[in-house]
Structure formats: structure tokens, C-alpha cells
Amino acid sequence: MSRLLRSALFIAIASYVLLVGATFNGILTAPIRAASTALVVGAVLLWIVGRRGRSASLPGTPLDPAVALWIAAIALSFLANLDDWRRSATALWYVGLYLWLWYALWDAVARRWISRATLIDALLLPGVIALAVGALQQQVIWSRGLSALPVSVFGNTNSFGTFLILLLPLALARAFSTRRVARPVMALVALGTGALLFLTGSRGAWLGGAAALGVFILLGAPGQIIRRWLDRLPAARRRTALIAGGLALIVLLIGVGTPFLETFNRSGRTLDLRTWIYETALTVFRRQPLTGSGLFTFGGELARLNSTPYHEPHSHAHSLIFNVMAELGVVGLAALALTVALLLRTLLRHLRAERMALDAERAGAWAAVAGVGVHLLFDTTIMMPALALGVLLAALSSLTPSPLVGEGAGGRRTGLALSLLGVCLAAAAIWSTTLYTRYVAALTAAVGDGDLTAGAAALDALIAADPGLAITHSQQGMLLALAGDADGARQSFERYTELAPQYAIGWFNLAALRLASGDHDGARQALDRALALAPDLAALQFPVSADPYALEWEFGGNIAYAQFMRLAIMRLFVPQVALLGEDVTLRTP
């Protein structure tokens, strides 16, 4: 395969992954998920076959020590929290995929299968498409007088902001380095990126974008122009110019920073929207400072330690530092600190090797990584795989190809281990996607055919294959409850609350279903657990002050109870419940 064809194929695959396959919508849509699984399997096979007859050793990377420490932190946290292993296992697959891609792509660049320019193009092309979608959304918002914010294909303004941070310095770099014909086009892309970044309203993304722009100016062509100009000035005039530039920068920061800080005084934009999440992360860290609570467990800890509902559920701590602190403890924080230190060391080595003048595209890649790093201090948007993969491509673009890192540092066993990891990832993806496709098909058929009992029965095989996945038990309980099988639904929610005891909604449902089965004492116990987890939800406080035996515990026989049933049964925080609708009345057989 020619290099041009390899580059075109890589850019096409990256565009699909970043815009469709690795977004949350793509992961939750069964046909897209199946296509992405086939892509993972194909990539693993292609990489293994492509390395046949070659040295099995892998070139070392500047982040190898940090990778080893990350693996140790995740393994230690996983072993220390085996009671919640199923949730962490899901996260482990994604971490394993990022690890495999890091080394596989590094190897591909080192062997000149793909170039650094191709890595940047693989961000620029989908970036331009995402920018166009966001601009179209903004035009619709303005034309209809809506108060919405652009999200492009990412479904969230903060996530869209992260992608724009990646795009901004790369578009500027290409504008400085490309030929005259494409230069104004890329300049226009950079201008549109900056405008949409402002319109997202994401303050964390604003800070990240400003950091990316500043790093690009410092490391790239603008910085080189400023340094050459300063070098030509006499010493006295150079000091004057530096002082004047510093004062101008201070004035600019005050001018921009003052209205920025005032946004925290606006309704719905106050600082306490995040501080309670950070406080929860600190609480979780203090409980298990060495190992943390386990990878991808913060959402459950947040629900356990705060009244949820009333508070919104969140799957992450909205700060990479707090998230790592809560889930991976001290060892995870050490891995994060070592990663930053190694990145800075590599940047300094590049600057010294290239006499403090990076080429535009490498400077743009470093600026993209730095900008996203700043944004991650205020939001953990790389929870979306598309954004994590985008950052990975930017990091590879900033570090490779590099004569500063020797070949063969990984050794033969590392190459074999990577092949084995790829095979395990592909096998797990096939297994998980097969179950998920059957899961969605069961729910869709149950709603479409109206046979809720058959839909619930179809989930039995999935539960047998993966009994530790809590959501399947919850959905089976929903289907059985709506079909009128209160006893079967109760059994499903008994198991769900065993697997996910930190979520109040499961206990509310179990309380209602125990009542339907005539178990008043069990219902009160479940209700007490629910209200202990969600004490601030005023709408569900009435059973506490009332004698449960004095109420008429029949479906539809009591207004307060009917309200309770609607809130408890129909308001589950899972996407597939939308298929069932909210106007279904639960009835006894």
C-alpha cells in the first residue's frame, strides 16, 4: 500500500472515530458500536500482520516511566476495590485501548508507515467538519431565538470546547506553514474556531483556548518573530520593550479577567456548582488515600455521599486532578505528576535541540496538548473516548518523530505483550458488543411489539452471561413492573440494589415493588435506604411522616402514593427508559 493511500485511509478512519464512533452517541447506538468493534478488530489484525517478518521490539517513548506507573496505580486500585470490579472493568477496556493505540501509532510513525503531518491532518479534517456542524447549529440557534449553546457532534458544550482547543493551534500552525493557496483557508478556520469557542460559554474551555494560543505564540512562528525583533534592538531598548510588553499583558489580563470573574456571580454559573463535587472527591480520597475508590467509580461515590436526586448525577469529578485523586489515590496522582514532568522534560529537550525554535506544526501540537491540559483542570471531558483519542493524536504529533528517543527500548517482549493486549481488547469488544446489541434489541422489541414480558425474558441470557452488570437487572425489573409482574420485578430490583446500593432510585423502585408484593416491612426498609441516600428530595418525603400501614397501599388508590409510584418507577437515570415512555401506569396483575 502506498504511503499516500495509507495516509488517506488513516485520516478517514480517524474522522469516523472522532466524529461518530467514539462519541457517546456512537457508543450507545448499536449499529455504530458494531462497526467500531469491527474497526478495532481490523486495526489489531492489521498491526499484527504488518509487523510479521520485522523486529518484534518496539521503540521507546518519552512517557514509558509514566505509563508503567499508571499501570501500577490502576492495578493496585482495581485489586483494592474488587467489590466494584465490574464498573472498573469497563473503564479498563478503554484504558487498554488507549495504551495499545499509543504504542501502535508510535511504532507506525517510527517505521514511517504514517507521518506526523498525517496525525495532524487526522485532527484537522474532522475538526473542520465538527466546526461546520457547530456553526450550523449556532445559525439555527440565532435564527430561532433560542438560548441553547452549540455542541456540534459531541452533545455537550464543554466537550465541544475541548475539541476546539485541539483545533485552534493546529489550524494556526497550518496557516503559518502551508502554501499561499491554503493559508487564508486555515486562517479562516482558526478564526471560526476561536469564535465558536467563545460561543460555547465554557469558561474552562476559554482558559484552555487562551493557554493554547499563548503557548503557540511562545513556541511557534510568532514567538520566533518577536525574539528576532528583540535581538536586533539595543539592550536598553530591549528592556523597555519587555517592560512595555509585560504591562500590556497585565492590562489585557485585567480587561479580560474582570468580566470573566463576573460570570461566577450569574445565576446558574456560580462557583458552588463545582465545589461540592470537589469536596466529594476529597472525601473519597481521605477514605482511601493510597488506592482510591477504583477506576470509573466516582459517579457511584458522588451518589452515595450526596442527595441524588436533588443533586444531579455526575460520572466524573469535573477536574482531572480531583478525579485521579478520588479513583486512583496517591499512586495515581504520582503518575499524573510524572506524566506532566516527562512532557515538560521532552519539550525542553526539543527546544534545546532545535535552538528554541520549534517548527510551526510541532509548536501547534504542543499548544494543543497544553490547552487541553488547562481545560482538564476544570472539566474531565476526556471521559468521552473521542476526545481522549484526539488528545492522544496531538500528543503523538508533539513528540514524534524524535531522534531523542532510542529504538528498541521496549524490547521484544513489549512487542509481544502489545500483540496479546490487542487480541484481548478485540475479543472483549466482540463479546461486549454482541451482548449490547442483543440488549438493545430486547428493549426495542419489547416496546415495539408491546410484549414486555417477552422482552424481560430475553434479558435472562444476557444476565447469565454478565451477571455483574447492574443496569441489565434494572431494565428487566422495569419491563416486568410495567407488564404487571410485581414479584418478578421485585426480584430484579433486589439484585440491582445489591450490585448498585449507592443509587437511591433503585431503592425507591424496590420499595414500591415490595409493597406490591405485600411486604410492608421490607418496603419501609427499602424506603428508608432510599431516603437516606436522597434526603433533600422534598417530593418524596411524605412516606417518612406518614404511617405506612395507615395508607391505602394499592396502585392508583392513593393520590400521594400514585405520585410516589410515578417518581419512583418512571424516573430512572438510564437512557433506554425513554423507549418505554413516561405515561405508562403500573398496575397489579
Side-chain angles (χ1 to χ4, degrees):
M1 185 184 296
S2 68
R3 186 170 181 175
L4 179 61
L5 185 58
R6 286 199 303 268
S7 297
L9 179 61
F10 182 80
I11 293 169
I13 292 173
S15 299
Y16 162 78
V17 170
L18 295 177
L19 297 175
V20 181
T23 64
F24 288 147
N25 287 333
I27 293 170
L28 292 175
T29 304
I32 297 176
R33 181 164 172 168
S36 300
T37 298
L39 187 60
V40 170
V41 174
V44 170
L45 292 176
L46 181 63
W47 187 80
I48 293 175
V49 171
R51 288 180 58 82
R52 289 182 61 188
R54 298 174 181 268
S55 169
S57 64
L58 285 174
T61 80
L63 299 184
D64 284 349
V67 169
L69 190 54
W70 278 114
I71 292 174
I74 292 170
L76 182 63
S77 181
F78 183 82
L79 294 174
N81 297 280
L82 289 176
D83 55 327
D84 208 3
W85 71 270
R86 184 60 183 81
R87 182 178 294 272
S88 293
T90 301
L92 279 175
W93 187 88
Y94 286 99
V95 171
L97 179 64
Y98 304 150
L99 177 66
W100 186 86
L101 283 172
W102 172 258
Y103 282 104
L105 290 175
W106 184 280
D107 180 59
V109 174
R111 296 180 185 279
R112 298 185 179 180
W113 291 350
I114 56 176
S115 65
R116 179 167 57 121
T118 300
L119 295 176
I120 294 175
D121 289 338
L123 283 169
L124 282 175
L125 179 60
V128 171
I129 296 173
L131 184 68
V133 174
L136 180 61
Q137 289 175 346
Q138 188 61 56
Q139 191 276 329
V140 172
I141 290 169
W142 281 338
S143 65
R144 298 183 180 180
L146 303 176
S147 59
L149 298 170
V151 298
S152 189
V153 299
F154 303 102
N156 179 272
T157 55
N158 293 322
S159 299
F160 185 31
T162 298
F163 199 77
L164 292 174
I165 293 171
L166 289 172
L167 181 60
L168 178 61
L170 294 176
L172 285 172
R174 189 56 60 86
F176 275 97
S177 62
T178 193
R179 296 178 179 177
R180 293 182 180 180
V181 176
R183 181 169 295 176
V185 175
M186 297 312 300
L188 184 62
V189 169
L191 182 63
T193 301
L196 268 182
L197 184 60
F198 174 76
L199 292 172
T200 61
S202 173
R203 291 169 293 188
W206 293 346
L207 293 174
L213 190 59
V215 171
F216 178 72
I217 291 174
L218 183 64
L219 299 180
Q224 296 173 32
I225 294 171
I226 293 172
R227 284 193 293 271
R228 286 197 296 267
W229 176 72
L230 288 174
D231 289 340
R232 291 196 295 266
L233 293 177
R237 296 182 64 183
R238 188 184 309 156
R239 286 194 296 270
T240 302
L242 289 173
I243 293 172
L247 291 174
L249 180 61
I250 292 173
V251 171
L252 176 64
L253 291 175
I254 293 175
V256 174
T258 300
F260 174 80
L261 293 175
E262 288 177 352
T263 63
F264 289 97
N265 296 322
R266 299 174 186 173
S267 177
R269 305 272 286 173
T270 54
L271 190 61
D272 58 0
L273 294 175
R274 289 286 185 268
T275 54
W276 71 277
I277 301 177
Y278 301 156
E279 290 170 1
T280 300
L282 288 171
T283 300
V284 175
F285 173 73
R286 284 192 292 265
R287 191 187 66 182
Q288 292 179 271
L290 180 62
T291 64
S293 62
L295 203 62
F296 200 52
T297 60
F298 182 77
E301 293 298 306
L302 190 78
R304 184 179 63 84
L305 295 172
N306 300 276
S307 178
T308 309
Y310 179 69
H311 285 103
E312 292 183 23
H314 293 269
S315 60
H316 56 84
H318 288 272
S319 168
L320 184 61
I321 294 176
F322 283 102
N323 211 87
V324 170
M325 177 191 300
E327 295 187 350
L328 299 179
V330 171
V331 185
L333 287 175
L336 180 61
L338 181 59
T339 302
V340 175
L342 291 174
L343 285 171
L344 291 175
R345 185 183 71 171
T346 305
L347 173 60
L348 291 175
R349 293 174 70 186
H350 282 160
L351 289 172
R352 285 195 294 266
E354 301 179 30
R355 297 182 179 181
M356 305 301 291
L358 298 182
D359 64 85
E361 290 193 342
R362 192 186 293 278
W366 275 110
V369 172
V372 173
V374 170
H375 190 197
L376 291 178
L377 296 175
F378 309 101
D379 210 340
T380 324
T381 51
I382 55 170
M383 290 285 289
M384 181 181 291
L387 298 177
L389 294 172
V391 174
L392 186 146
L393 289 177
L396 284 166
S397 303
S398 66
L399 297 172
T400 58
S402 174
L404 307 172
V405 181
E407 288 279 339
R412 181 180 180 85
R413 281 181 290 184
T414 305
L416 295 175
L418 195 66
S419 297
L420 179 60
L421 174 61
V423 171
C424 292
L425 290 170
I430 293 172
W431 174 77
S432 176
T433 300
T434 300
L435 293 183
Y436 183 75
T437 301
R438 293 168 60 190
Y439 168 76
V440 173
L443 293 180
T444 304
V447 175
D449 299 339
D451 192 346
L452 303 180
T453 303
L459 295 178
D460 283 334
L462 308 185
I463 291 174
D466 190 3
L469 186 60
I471 189 63
T472 317
H473 298 275
S474 172
Q475 291 290 48
Q476 186 179 57
M478 277 289 297
L479 292 175
L480 291 172
L482 293 173
D485 184 358
D487 188 59
R490 177 187 55 78
Q491 295 178 35
S492 294
F493 274 100
E494 295 278 7
R495 181 59 179 152
Y496 173 75
T497 52
E498 290 177 9
L499 295 171
Q502 64 272 60
Y503 295 106
I505 196 68
W507 292 103
F508 279 126
N509 283 329
L510 181 58
L513 293 165
R514 282 177 175 176
L515 287 174
S517 300
D519 183 6
H520 289 190
D521 289 337
R524 184 56 184 265
Q525 292 172 6
L527 193 57
D528 286 342
R529 288 288 300 272
L531 293 172
L533 290 167
D536 297 338
L537 187 59
L540 295 180
Q541 290 297 324
F542 65 88
V544 175
S545 59
D547 181 359
Y549 300 102
L551 293 175
E552 183 180 1
W553 296 107
E554 294 179 1
F555 294 101
N558 182 280
I559 295 177
Y561 183 63
Q563 179 193 14
F564 168 76
M565 290 301 299
R566 177 175 177 80
L567 288 169
I569 295 294
M570 301 310 299
R571 296 291 188 180
L572 290 181
F573 295 113
V574 288
Q576 289 78 13
V577 171
L579 295 173
L580 301 176
E582 293 190 355
D583 295 326
V584 181
T585 302
L586 180 62
R587 301 181 185 278
T588 54

